[in-house]
Every structure is written in C-alpha cells, then in structure tokens.
Amino acid sequence: MHGPIIAIDGPAGAGKSTVARTVARRLNLFYLDTGAMYRALTLKAMRERIDLSDGPGLAEMARRTEMRGEYRRGMRPAHRFFLDGEDVTSAIRSREVSAHVSQVSSHPEVRREMVKKQRTWAQVGGLVAEGRDVGTVVFPQADFKFFITASVKERARRRYREMRREGYQVTLRAVEQEMVRRDHMDTTREVNPLRRAADAVVIDTTGMRVSQVVNEILSAVREGRGQTRR
Ligand code: DC
C-alpha cells in the first residue's frame, strides 16, 4: 500500500514548515523539505566559492551532492538536514544562505537537477513535500495539494519573532523588506515560479494558530478535499 503524496506550497513565512512536519508526523508519512535542499546547495556553493550566477556549474555540483532530511527523536529541532553526511540544520538557516538562496534556485539547470532528486523520495512511499513548486512541477500528480499563505505583515512578524528567538539583531522593518524582496524573486523568476496549482486548496493562515491549520489539512485529507483529479 503506497501512502499519499501531499504537496504544500506557499511563500516564505506562511507557516508551511511547522504545518507540513506536523501533518507528516500525524499521518506517519515522510517529510520532504525542498527549501532545505536549495539552502544546502547554496551553502555548499558559498563554501566552495562557486560563482552563484553559474547555473550549469551549480547544477554539476548538485549532481555530486548528497542531501537528506531525517527525523531524530529527542533532538531539538527533531528534523535534521544533512549535506554530504554533515548535519547542516542550523547552517542552512544563516542570513548569508537566506540572502543568496533565491539566486541559486533561479537557474533552470539547478531546478532540473533538484526536481530529479526530489522525485526519488516518492519511492519511499507516502510523503508530505513542502516548497514553492511541489504541486505544480515536482509532483503535479500529488494526491492532495495545499497552498498556504498569509499577509506579508503577518509573515514578516512571524519570521521576525523566530529570528529574535535565535538571537539575531534585526528590525521588523528589515525583515519585512527582505520578505517583499524574496516574494518578488520567487514569484517572478522565469523557471518554476511560486504560484498556486489550479487544483490546490488555499489556506490563508493570517490570524490562525498552527494547530488550526494542521486540523484543517487533516480533515481535508480525511474528507478527500484538496484531492487532485486524475
Ligand atoms: O522555504 P525556504 O524559505 O526554506 O526556501 C528557501 C528558498 O528556496 C526560497 O527563497 C525559494 C527557494 N525554493 C524554491 O525555489 N523552490 C522550492 N521548491 C523550495 C524553495
């Protein structure tokens, strides 16, 4: 019995990660964080001083890179991400990586390579995959598709609180400006831009708690809403 593929897309700060992880755990499915993959590739390119405007060069590097996520019970955070065997869970969240990941992920050659890697995870069985183009490009045949969003102000507030908790000295205004810049790059790039799949269920999480969003998705899955037509 093959579990379902659940695609969760949406802009930065919409709360996708927490929601996708919780849904995966509740349904006992594998969790695939495609954003973490682009982040890990960016980190490696920066370390190896590869020109971030060199799409073919970055794609070649992606081909010789091993990436995987793992759930490690008892660790905080429990979802760890490994790049060529090294735990890079916090390194891929640095401001430097966040500032350059949109550029790295804008190259068609890079995306082709990454989508290929992402599709291999479907062989493990059912999964919850989170990103920007999961329902549109990576798994257009996904069993369920959700598009999670929230107002820019709310997304900036969430990211700001998260960064302050992690000890970063930032202002809300700077976070909001960065959010607007990233939204613009993610939605206007030529290849696989962030957009809602026509058959995705939209959830605006402004003013909603994580548990409410999770419950909404779980009941949609149970009732077959958000199920894609075949
Ligand atoms: O979800 P995130 O913030 O960790 O994603 C990091 C970046 O990676 C984001 O700026 C856009 C890019 N990304 C992408 O282009 N396609 C995906 N499927 C996931 C992320």
Side-chain angles (χ1 to χ4, degrees):
M1 184 47 194
H2 208 277
I5 293 181
I6 301 177
I8 301 185
D9 290 302
K16 290 188 305 290
S17 295
T18 320
V19 166
R21 284 168 192 177
T22 313
V23 169
R25 214 176 45 240
R26 295 275 293 271
L27 297 177
N28 201 18
L29 298 173
F30 185 78
Y31 163 66
L32 176 66
D33 181 353
T34 62
M37 294 176 66
Y38 286 100
R39 286 174 177 275
L41 191 71
T42 305
L43 175 67
K44 183 165 174 172
M46 286 165 61
R47 283 175 174 176
E48 295 194 359
R49 301 195 186 287
I50 292 184
D51 178 3
L52 301 188
S53 64
D54 176 11
L58 290 164
E60 195 280 316
M61 191 191 73
R63 269 191 291 279
R64 56 180 170 83
T65 300
E66 194 255 330
M67 302 175 193
R68 76 198 140 81
E70 257 183 48
Y71 183 75
R72 296 247 171 125
R73 193 181 289 277
M75 280 185 87
R76 270 188 171 272
H79 283 280
R80 317 294 303 180
F81 201 84
F82 296 84
L83 168 66
D84 295 324
E86 175 193 348
D87 187 340
V88 292
T89 311
S90 46
I92 58 172
R93 304 282 156 200
S94 75
R95 287 175 82 177
E96 293 75 19
V97 169
S98 299
H100 292 103
V101 62
S102 284
Q103 185 184 5
V104 169
S105 57
S106 69
H107 299 293
E109 302 87 347
V110 169
R111 301 202 70 88
R112 215 174 298 127
E113 211 45 56
M114 298 295 263
V115 167
K116 216 188 281 172
K117 281 183 190 294
Q118 289 154 11
R119 286 184 180 149
T120 62
W121 290 104
Q123 293 160 10
V124 301
L127 56 88
V128 179
E130 169 216 331
R132 303 292 190 285
D133 60 345
V134 178
T136 50
V137 178
V138 186
F139 298 120
Q141 82 291 10
D143 299 283
F144 295 92
K145 296 181 187 179
F146 297 93
F147 190 86
I148 296 194
T149 184
S151 69
V152 173
K153 282 212 174 322
E154 168 116 359
R155 291 189 285 119
R157 253 194 317 268
R158 289 177 188 167
R159 190 48 60 96
Y160 169 74
R161 280 199 295 261
E162 191 179 279
M163 291 179 81
R164 292 296 288 233
R165 247 195 327 267
E166 288 165 9
Y168 287 110
Q169 293 300 314
V170 285
T171 63
L172 179 58
R173 196 176 142 75
V175 175
E176 191 172 327
Q177 280 169 348
E178 174 59 24
M179 190 75 80
V180 170
R181 189 185 73 89
R182 208 132 73 87
D183 277 358
H184 181 74
M185 281 188 77
D186 289 348
T187 51
T188 58
R189 67 163 174 251
E190 277 178 31
V191 199
N192 308 4
L194 166 68
R195 66 187 164 79
R196 177 175 84 80
D199 47 4
V201 169
V202 180
I203 304 178
D204 185 338
T205 69
T206 311
M208 276 175 91
R209 284 193 305 273
V210 170
S211 58
Q212 291 176 299
V213 184
V214 168
N215 285 337
E216 174 132 358
I217 291 182
L218 291 177
S219 29
V221 168
R222 222 173 291 125
E223 293 159 18
R225 284 182 286 126
Q227 191 154 31
T228 55
R229 290 170 295 278
R230 294 279 169 84

